[in-house]
Amino acid sequence: MINKENIPRKQIFETGVTARSLIVGIFLSLLAGVWVRQSEIAVLATQITESVPAIPGLAALAVMLLLNGVLRRIPGVRIFTRGEVLVVFLFVTVSSTIMGIGIMQFLFALMTVPFYYSSEGIPEVRDLLPKWLMPHDMVAIRHLYERSLDGSVPWGIWWKPGLLWLTFFFALWW
């Protein structure tokens, strides 16, 4: 058990957002991006970003713990604090969802399912959904699921909701 009386107050409440934690977080996120692209998009083997917690985040946590084990043996080198390890873990976990197939694979379907399906209770929900957040054009939505005859995509109705959702996800990931 850790005796908090022997640890300086500054170290107990020290923030984990440091230059080195952000640099390591960005580096490990880039490595996670290569891993995610290969496993989810190229090989279609598994959706590692859809687990809870995301597997790249757990891998980053394992790397940080191993790195701390190595740094402990080098005299004069400061190990990563708990806060820094947590920042790297969260950074990689959240940023790996950007690269995963799960967000974009389901986003358009989730935006349009209340309009495409006509189950009981869904027509009442449609009227409550804001027009600026999702398209309401029934023909374009039907073409999303069934494809249009000429293969065209009515991009005009998708830009505004797409940019709004992109803004939301950027705010979430930031």
Side-chain angles (χ1 to χ4, degrees):
M1 188 164 138
I2 297 175
N3 185 358
K4 290 186 178 180
E5 295 170 5
N6 297 337
I7 301 173
R9 183 174 173 84
K10 181 181 180 234
Q11 190 177 1
I12 293 174
F13 297 105
E14 185 176 323
T15 179
V17 181
T18 62
R20 72 183 190 153
S21 69
L22 292 176
I23 290 169
V24 171
I26 289 169
F27 176 73
L28 290 178
S29 293
L30 292 173
L31 287 178
V34 173
W35 182 20
V36 167
R37 185 188 66 77
Q38 184 64 26
S39 68
E40 289 190 7
I41 298 169
V43 180
L44 296 173
T46 183
Q47 281 73 40
I48 60 176
T49 59
E50 292 181 13
S51 65
V52 177
I55 293 170
L58 291 176
L61 182 60
V63 166
M64 291 301 294
L65 295 176
L66 288 172
L67 184 60
N68 262 356
V70 170
L71 292 178
R72 282 186 212 286
R73 298 174 194 264
I74 302 172
V77 177
R78 192 172 58 110
I79 64 168
F80 286 91
T81 64
R82 289 181 184 175
E84 289 174 320
V85 171
L86 182 62
V87 164
V88 171
F89 167 73
L90 292 174
F91 196 98
V92 174
T93 299
V94 173
S95 68
S96 65
T97 62
I98 297 170
M99 304 165 255
I101 197 170
I103 297 290
M104 294 313 295
Q105 179 181 9
F106 300 112
L107 178 61
F108 291 107
L110 289 173
M111 282 194 310
T112 58
V113 77
F115 300 96
Y116 185 71
Y117 293 102
S118 296
S119 298
E120 185 178 321
I122 289 192
E124 293 82 24
V125 172
R126 286 184 206 150
D127 298 332
L128 301 173
L129 301 172
K131 295 185 189 243
W132 52 267
L133 193 57
M134 54 200 57
H136 285 59
D137 184 344
M138 295 300 288
V139 173
I141 291 169
R142 191 176 76 248
H143 288 166
L144 173 71
Y145 288 90
E146 300 171 10
R147 98 177 161 85
S148 66
L149 295 175
D150 62 357
S152 64
V153 177
W155 290 110
I157 68 162
W158 294 104
W159 283 111
K160 186 175 182 181
L163 288 174
L164 289 169
W165 280 104
L166 184 65
T167 303
F168 166 75
F169 284 116
F170 275 146
L172 171 68
W173 294 319
W174 179 255

